[in-house]
Amino acid sequence: MKNYSELNYDESCVPFYYLFHRKKSYKFPVVYSDGTVSRLKSSLEGRNPLGILCKGYIVSIRQSPKEMTPQEAKEFCKTQSIAWRPSCISPRKVMRILLKNVTKVNEIIRDLGGDLLDTKWYMVTNDTFTSSPAGYPLDDIMLGISLHHLDDFAGKGGKICWQVGNYTKVAFYPAARI
């Protein structure tokens, strides 16, 4: 059994709240160190933000301290936690959503004092393929995803990811499953 502290969802954290109160709230819920989860910008006052909640993952507002190989990234994640949960490399589906909403996400990250998303490549876990080429375990295949690449190729049928090799160093945003 995992020993997690509960997250406390603010009543304002309902999906339609953002539509009616855009100037007072964020597009994505923010997770704070005291366990509060809220879209309200006013919730930041007196709290330490940890990350952005997306698709069941808390994605850190801080990038990895340096670019790492997939093995270094896995070892780094073993030593980190986000909201009392073990960290991992962000899943592809989560980073893809954040990159597609980069303007709103960077607004949140800027307000929270984090590291902004830019056009470089980010390491993500392989969460979408059902079988692996060459028989590798799926969680051993790390992919790279880029904002620039999404813009140029996503609508044209091009690839939006590439496989990160054992010696390739790439930055990433740690995440934690809720």
Side-chain angles (χ1 to χ4, degrees):
M1 184 167 156
K2 297 177 182 174
N3 187 14
Y4 294 151
S5 294
E6 289 294 320
L7 296 178
N8 306 306
Y9 291 84
D10 188 310
E11 291 178 20
S12 63
C13 193
V14 290
F16 62 85
Y17 189 85
Y18 174 75
L19 296 174
F20 300 107
H21 301 283
R22 289 185 185 179
K23 293 185 183 199
K24 296 180 183 177
S25 63
Y26 296 119
K27 181 171 178 72
F28 293 94
V30 176
V31 179
Y32 298 94
S33 60
D34 64 358
T36 300
V37 179
S38 177
R39 288 180 188 261
L40 285 178
K41 291 181 179 183
S42 61
S43 295
L44 176 59
E45 195 171 314
R47 290 195 170 100
N48 181 25
L50 298 177
I52 299 169
L53 187 60
C54 180
K55 288 280 191 188
Y57 284 86
I58 303 167
V59 179
S60 175
I61 58 170
R62 302 263 179 234
Q63 284 184 38
S64 57
K66 62 179 183 172
E67 292 185 350
M68 300 181 198
T69 64
Q71 190 57 39
E72 290 171 335
K74 288 179 187 178
E75 292 302 316
F76 174 78
C77 287
K78 288 179 185 177
T79 66
Q80 303 295 308
S81 67
I82 303 170
W84 316 282
R85 289 150 173 80
S87 72
C88 61
I89 300 166
S90 297
R92 177 181 171 260
K93 67 182 175 189
V94 172
M95 282 304 292
R96 188 170 181 193
I97 289 170
L98 295 179
L99 288 170
K100 282 187 171 187
N101 293 283
V102 69
T103 304
K104 295 293 182 185
V105 170
N106 275 343
E107 176 188 318
I108 297 169
I109 292 173
R110 187 177 300 109
D111 287 355
L112 303 177
D115 303 323
L116 300 178
L117 290 166
D118 57 22
T119 56
K120 68 181 173 186
W121 287 93
Y122 296 102
M123 188 183 319
V124 293
T125 57
N126 179 17
D127 62 348
T128 56
F129 301 127
T130 55
S131 62
S132 69
Y136 293 111
L138 289 178
D139 61 352
D140 283 349
I141 298 176
M142 295 297 157
L143 303 172
I145 190 168
S146 164
L147 170 65
H148 179 70
H149 209 68
L150 274 176
D151 289 344
D152 284 351
F153 298 105
K156 300 177 184 171
K159 293 181 180 179
I160 60 166
C161 290
W162 57 277
Q163 186 171 339
V164 177
N166 290 338
Y167 302 104
T168 307
K169 295 193 174 202
V170 184
F172 66 97
Y173 281 86
R177 189 156 180 75
I178 57 168

